[in-house]
């Protein structure tokens, strides 16, 4: 049996081809990919940022946000995962060993044992690693032992289901890690999928004041942030972010500042400048290997500011995100802007990257089993 796959062979080079589907062996399963969400990491991978840093090597099948149906499953895997053939699941991308010190201390999403060099995650492993069928830009994926799955209801619209990772990032980065509590003020720097996920998570946590920054070209995303429940927006290339935050908080600064801006580093400087005495800065936006930030360390010391890095989401955040997607109290379908077939992967990535004029993308997904005309929903 062959899967239809998109293989990345170089920077900005994608090929639609076929790949042998491996047999289901002990502890494994076969997933029919219903859709795969795309995020900023997909765009960076497409452009070549990860291969340049040695995190991912070509050729590979991208796609680390897959949702699909189990079509075949080994009995051991069915017992371990609590799922059966026919179940609909969302897949956590990170692969872990379950036995190293990092895993045993609960940080399985940071385990390096499965693959010491590069990112040990679905969507980032090369074709010559194991069975090769690792990515969600494919009609089928082979799920290996210790994959973490989350069951999702049959009736959940796929446009909601594919938002599980961005919403989980918002849950962990803006609420669970900084311990955001009822009434807290939160500054979210960056209005992309993760920033909007952070807005929703902060609303759910009962934050008293939510402020979101973006650029002039992000107006549609800033408007979405306001519609979802943010109280104020700041246009960072027109206004002074720190000044605005201090004026909005009576000079005190925010309790929590969450940076989800990709590439640019000014947002980290602004976060440190805008947080209150004893406040917390969370850094979740990947800046790229050459970026350096110049910070006034005395400000951090004298104000006892906590700075915390976050990578990936983790099971508790995925569980909360999926609960919120099931309840759908925030009308999250409005975040999903574009649906593409597998053969349109290149266009999908350029749409999310903002390279298609007027597209105004937020959440974009690939649907490997159908070839729908490019659509805006
Ligand atoms: Zn992602
Ligand atoms: Zn481990």
């Amino acid at each position: 049996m062959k899967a239809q796959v998109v293989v990345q062979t170089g920077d900005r080079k994608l090929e639609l081809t076929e790949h042998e589907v491996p047999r289901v062996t002990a502890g494994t399963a076969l997933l029919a990919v219903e859709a795969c969400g795309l995020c900023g990491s997909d765009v960076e991978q497409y452009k070549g940022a990860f291969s340049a840093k040695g995190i991912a090597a070509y050729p590979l099948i991208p796609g680390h946000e897959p949702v699909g149906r189990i079509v075949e499953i080994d009995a051991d895997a069915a017992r371990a995962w609590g799922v059966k053939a026919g179940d609909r699941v969302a897949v956590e991308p990170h692969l872990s060993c379950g036995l190293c010190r990092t895993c045993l201390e609960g940080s399985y999403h940071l385990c390096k044992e499965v693959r010491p060099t590069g990112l040990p995650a679905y969507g980032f492993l090369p074709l010559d690693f194991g069975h090769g069928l690792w990515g969600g830009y494919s009609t089928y994926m082979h799920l290996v032992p210790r994959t973490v799955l989350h069951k999702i209801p049959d009736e959940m619209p796929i446009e909601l289901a594919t938002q599980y990772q961005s919403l989980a990032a918002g849950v962990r980065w803006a609420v669970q890690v900084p311990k955001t509590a009822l009434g807290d003020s939160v500054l979210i720097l960056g209005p992309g999928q993760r920033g909007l996920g952070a807005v929703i998570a902060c609303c759910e946590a009962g934050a008293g004041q939510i402020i979101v920054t973006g650029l002039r070209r992000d107006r549609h995303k800033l408007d979405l942030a306001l519609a979802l429940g943010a109280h104020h927006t700041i246009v960072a290339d027109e206004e002074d972010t720190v000044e605005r935050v201090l004026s909005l908080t009576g000079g005190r600064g925010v309790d929590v500042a969450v940076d989800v801006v990709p590439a640019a580093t000014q947002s980290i400087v602004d976060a440190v400048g805008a947080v209150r005495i004893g406040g917390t800065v969370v850094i979740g936006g990947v800046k790229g290997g050459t970026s350096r930030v110049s910070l006034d360390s005395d400000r951090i010391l004298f104000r006892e500011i906590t700075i915390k890095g976050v990578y990936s989401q983790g099971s508790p955040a995925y569980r909360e995100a999926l609960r919120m997607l099931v309840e759908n109290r925030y009308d999250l379908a409005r975040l999903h802007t574009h649906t593409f077939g597998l053969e349109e992967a290149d266009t999908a990535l350029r749409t999310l990257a903002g390279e298609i004029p007027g597209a105004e993308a937020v959440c974009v997904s690939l649907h490997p089993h159908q070839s729908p005309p490019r659509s805006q929903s």
Side-chain angles (χ1 to χ4, degrees):
M1 180 168 157
K2 302 264 192 194
Q4 279 244 301
V5 299
V6 171
V7 173
Q8 181 167 13
T9 56
D11 300 352
R12 289 181 174 267
K13 287 204 180 87
L14 302 177
E15 278 175 20
L16 186 63
T17 179
E18 290 186 331
H19 188 87
E20 190 67 36
V21 174
R23 283 186 40 243
V24 167
T25 50
T28 72
L30 186 64
L31 179 83
V33 180
E34 187 179 347
C36 187
L38 267 53
C39 78
S41 295
D42 290 84
V43 172
E44 292 307 305
Q45 184 175 26
Y46 170 68
K47 290 178 178 172
F50 294 153
S51 84
K53 281 191 240 163
I55 294 172
Y58 307 130
L60 59 84
I61 302 168
H64 59 277
E65 304 191 356
V67 174
R69 232 173 251 285
I70 302 282
V71 286
E72 193 185 343
I73 186 164
D74 165 70
D76 290 344
R79 245 190 321 275
W81 292 334
V83 298
K84 58 184 186 313
D87 282 352
R88 202 178 186 211
V89 295
V91 181
E92 288 194 24
H94 204 87
L95 299 173
S96 58
C97 77
L99 292 171
C100 72
R101 193 161 167 180
T102 304
C103 280
L104 292 177
E105 288 173 351
S107 300
Y108 71 95
H109 62 290
L110 298 173
C111 174
K112 303 283 181 218
E113 296 301 314
V114 175
R115 188 173 177 243
T117 57
L119 206 56
Y122 288 106
F124 297 98
L125 295 166
L127 285 184
D128 63 6
F129 183 82
H131 57 65
L133 196 62
W134 297 109
Y137 295 11
S138 168
T139 46
Y140 294 96
M141 275 175 69
H142 190 235
L143 304 177
V144 294
R146 290 182 304 282
T147 299
V148 184
L149 303 177
H150 297 266
K151 263 201 253 193
I152 53 174
D154 286 343
E155 58 275 13
M156 184 188 285
I158 190 65
E159 291 74 18
L160 289 189
T162 49
Q163 295 180 36
Y164 72 105
Q165 289 207 19
S166 53
L167 189 51
V171 167
R172 178 161 184 260
W173 304 356
V175 175
Q176 291 177 339
V177 166
K179 300 185 169 57
T180 298
L182 196 64
D184 279 355
S185 52
V186 184
L187 171 67
I188 298 160
L189 300 115
Q193 293 171 12
R194 284 166 169 68
L196 296 172
V199 170
I200 297 157
C202 287
C203 287
E204 190 77 357
Q209 192 179 34
I210 302 169
I211 307 165
V212 183
T213 74
L215 300 176
R216 200 179 313 122
R217 65 165 190 254
D218 298 323
R219 192 64 255 173
H220 64 293
K221 296 180 195 170
L222 292 173
D223 289 342
L224 256 178
L226 290 169
L228 288 166
H231 301 87
H232 306 281
T233 59
I234 298 172
V235 180
D237 45 356
E238 287 177 354
E239 304 172 88
D240 185 309
T241 298
V242 175
E243 250 175 44
R244 269 299 303 285
V245 170
L246 292 178
S247 122
L248 289 168
T249 55
R252 181 173 179 262
V254 288
D255 297 298
V256 173
V258 185
D259 165 52
V260 286
V261 173
T265 53
Q266 180 58 37
S267 54
I268 294 179
V269 179
D270 288 344
V272 170
V275 83
R276 69 162 166 84
I277 288 173
T280 301
V281 172
V282 178
I283 301 174
V286 176
K287 311 300 184 187
T290 56
S291 299
R292 297 286 180 271
V293 187
S294 179
L295 287 175
D296 176 359
S297 62
D298 282 352
R299 180 177 174 84
I300 299 166
L301 179 159
F302 285 124
R303 297 172 69 82
E304 294 202 345
I305 293 167
T306 299
I307 300 182
K308 190 89 179 63
V310 286
Y311 167 74
S312 192
Q313 294 91 336
S315 266
Y318 283 118
R319 269 198 307 275
E320 282 305 300
L322 286 162
R323 176 186 63 76
M324 289 161 67
L325 286 164
V326 168
E327 290 178 1
N328 195 21
R329 293 197 294 121
Y330 300 88
D331 184 16
L332 298 175
R334 58 185 153 168
L335 269 66
H336 189 277
T337 53
H338 295 78
T339 297
F340 292 96
L342 210 50
E343 73 284 0
E344 300 171 301
D346 190 83
T347 310
L349 287 157
R350 288 189 294 112
T351 300
L352 185 61
E355 295 177 7
I356 310 272
E360 299 201 336
V362 182
C363 291
V364 174
S365 52
L366 278 187
H367 297 240
H369 283 273
Q370 46 176 307
S371 295
R374 190 170 36 167
S375 62
Q376 285 203 328
S377 53

